[in-house]
């Protein structure tokens, strides 16, 4: 829930419209989050097609809930969980609308990965439609 909300904020900020989650593509758990760990959610749009956006969301943790703890030791935050979400933007009547394209200077190496994933999802949807 926390990651979906964080990813939604990034999608809404990018599209300037209400957005809904259409797919949770992949969740990777890197390290456990324990009671008392201070967590920070980071999310950003990594890919845009005509009508959808991929958002990568990460949860970073600082062990012991206090950066540095009571001993004063500095503990570097760790990426505990990472997930890919796909969102669409909606107009005021709830219809899917085009989304603004990600500016070229903001594209990273994740763009290529996300573009491949998008093509795979479109192909899978096409195969599924033909089977019905």
């Amino acid at each position: 829930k926390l990651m979906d909300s964080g990813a939604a904020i990034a999608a809404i900020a990018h599209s300037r419209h209400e957005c809904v989650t259409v797919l949770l593509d992949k969740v990777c758990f890197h390290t456990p989050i324990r009671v008392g760990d201070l967590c920070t959610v980071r999310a950003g749009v990594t890919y845009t097609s005509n009508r959808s956006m991929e958002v990568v969301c990460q949860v970073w943790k600082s062990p012991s809930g206090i950066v540095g703890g009571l001993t004063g030791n500095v503990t570097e935050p760790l990426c505990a969980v990472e997930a890919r979400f796909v969102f669409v933007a909606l107009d005021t009547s709830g219809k899917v609308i085009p989304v603004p394209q990600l500016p070229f200077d903001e594209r990273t190496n994740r763009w290529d990965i996300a573009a491949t994933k998008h093509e795979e999802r479109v192909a899978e949807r096409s195969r599924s439609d033909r089977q019905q």
Side-chain angles (χ1 to χ4, degrees), residues 2 7 28 33 35-36 38 43 46 49 52-53 55-56 64 74 100-101 109-110 112-113:
L2 182 64
C28 295
I33 298 173
V35 173
L38 175 66
T46 56
S49 68
S52 66
M53 300 164 275
V55 177
V56 171
S64 78
V74 176
Q101 294 303 292
N109 61 343
R110 290 181 187 247
D112 294 331
I113 296 166

Side-chain angles (χ1 to χ4, degrees), residues 57-99:
C57 185
Q58 300 172 325
V59 176
W60 288 75
K61 73 167 192 169
S62 296
S64 78
I66 303 171
V67 177
L70 299 176
T71 63
N73 296 332
V74 176
T75 306
E76 290 295 319
L78 301 170
C79 182
V81 185
E82 183 173 18
R84 283 193 185 106
F85 293 82
V86 177
F87 287 86
V88 293
L90 305 176
D91 65 12
T92 55
S93 63
K95 303 274 189 223
V96 176
I97 57 173
V99 298

